[in-house]
Amino acid sequence: MDIKFEKWQGLGNDFIILENADATSELAKVMCDRNFGVGADGIFSPVKFHSVQNTENVDIAWKFYNSDGSIAQMCGNGMRCFAKYVHSKGIINKHKFSVQTLAGVIIPEILETGKVQVNMGTPVFDVSRIPTKAADSFDFEVEGFNASAVSMGNPHCVIFTDGDTKKLAAEYGPQIELSPLFPEKTNVEFVEIKSRKKIKIDVWERGCGITMACGTGACASVVAGVKKGLLDNEVSVILPGGELLIHYEEGKNVFMTGDAQRVYSGVWYK
């Protein structure tokens, strides 16, 4: 069967959305390949093409894989693309709706500006749920860096630095992703604080490597900064692919606002 798909991007974080097939690990590895496939950071399909448990009280669900074929519990940039995709296709007719993910129920809202605000839920600091083997999720050392661990439905290792975030992410991201401190591997953020209202980050994504942007990584970085007393509650996050606005008040939900755009549609010939 030929597979119809659309290519979407959110701040350069790009995704393949399958229109008439179920996303699988094998499809992710071949279609996301940037030399022999379509090329993308991840691949997903709406719930109408697969079965997801506990979807009775939600509007829709997705099935999501990273480019290396591993399962992704959650993806902030991908969620914005997913929200605009299902709305543009008429699969969902509401501007604000619920999506079942492996990280729980996520609430995106398509704003009048065309941007998407996503209620990313409450961050997790408990070491057993992140998960991390660090004794204290906010004060441990990894590869010589002082780090903080946060889960936004997927694990993150946040490192504040005065160094070159791009260089550090490329050099140390692979080792930290696979550190024994993270039994399910981890995303890695190197964060430069510009002011209490603005940060710059470069991300090594679990299962993808260096990407143009990471929505959950932006959220985790702001959460860590607020908890450490370094940042205000609303922060502009500068990533290689563009800017996200993150709002977080301690003990409450994290809101992420940013753009998402359709790039093209196509057919994958099996």
Side-chain angles (χ1 to χ4, degrees):
M1 179 184 69
D2 296 336
I3 298 175
K4 295 180 180 179
F5 69 90
E6 288 192 354
K7 177 82 173 283
W8 282 70
Q9 64 87 15
L11 275 65
N13 207 187
D14 55 346
F15 308 96
I16 298 165
I17 307 178
L18 303 182
E19 295 194 39
N20 64 336
D22 188 14
T24 66
S25 177
E26 288 306 311
L27 275 177
K29 286 185 280 189
V30 295
M31 292 186 72
C32 291
D33 189 287
R34 296 192 182 277
N35 294 306
F36 298 100
V38 177
D41 294 321
I43 186 172
F44 50 81
S45 55
V47 70
K48 64 183 294 186
F49 299 127
H50 65 91
S51 175
V52 176
Q53 293 180 343
N54 302 321
T55 58
E56 293 85 355
N57 298 317
V58 298
D59 295 304
I60 197 167
W62 71 2
K63 189 176 184 183
F64 193 106
Y65 290 90
N66 293 312
S67 59
D68 68 351
S70 61
I71 294 173
Q73 291 101 329
M74 177 53 192
C75 175
N77 291 320
M79 180 56 67
R80 297 198 314 278
C81 293
F82 182 79
K84 291 190 76 171
Y85 170 81
V86 296
H87 188 266
S88 69
K89 291 291 183 180
I91 299 171
I92 295 291
N93 294 316
K94 298 183 289 186
H95 283 82
K96 184 177 183 179
F97 50 93
S98 55
V99 182
Q100 180 75 49
T101 74
L102 293 179
V105 177
I106 302 297
I107 310 293
E109 180 179 5
I110 302 171
L111 306 177
E112 290 184 1
T113 61
K115 291 186 177 182
V116 182
Q117 182 181 81
V118 183
N119 182 342
M120 301 287 286
T122 306
V124 173
F125 307 112
D126 181 78
V127 293
S128 65
R129 293 174 59 202
I130 291 172
T132 177
K133 293 183 179 179
D136 181 345
S137 64
F138 257 70
D139 187 20
F140 65 94
E141 187 174 294
V142 60
E143 295 292 330
F145 297 97
N146 183 262
S148 300
V150 181
S151 173
M152 290 302 308
N154 53 358
H156 291 268
C157 179
V158 180
I159 298 169
F160 293 96
T161 179
D162 294 325
D164 185 330
T165 56
K166 182 178 180 180
K167 182 179 179 181
L168 291 171
E171 184 174 353
Y172 291 98
Q175 298 99 294
I176 297 175
E177 177 193 5
L178 302 175
S179 168
L181 287 173
F182 296 95
E184 295 180 8
K185 300 193 291 186
T186 187
N187 300 280
V188 187
E189 288 79 39
F190 283 90
V191 185
E192 177 189 356
I193 297 178
K194 298 288 189 181
S195 73
R196 292 189 63 85
K197 296 181 181 295
K198 179 180 284 190
I199 60 175
K200 172 185 175 292
I201 69 174
D202 282 275
V203 184
W204 178 274
E205 285 200 53
R206 180 182 64 166
C208 296
I210 294 292
T211 57
M212 295 289 287
C214 177
T216 55
C219 293
S221 299
V222 172
V223 165
V226 170
K227 191 170 177 64
K228 284 177 171 285
L230 302 173
L231 299 174
D232 290 344
N233 298 118
E234 190 162 274
V235 179
S236 172
V237 180
I238 309 301
L239 299 124
E243 182 177 355
L244 291 172
L245 183 65
I246 309 298
H247 184 88
Y248 171 62
E249 294 183 12
E250 282 197 77
K252 298 182 180 180
N253 291 346
V254 183
F255 290 86
M256 172 193 65
T257 304
D259 204 0
Q261 297 176 334
R262 180 190 288 110
V263 182
Y264 60 83
S265 61
V267 178
W268 176 265
Y269 298 105
K270 292 188 68 175

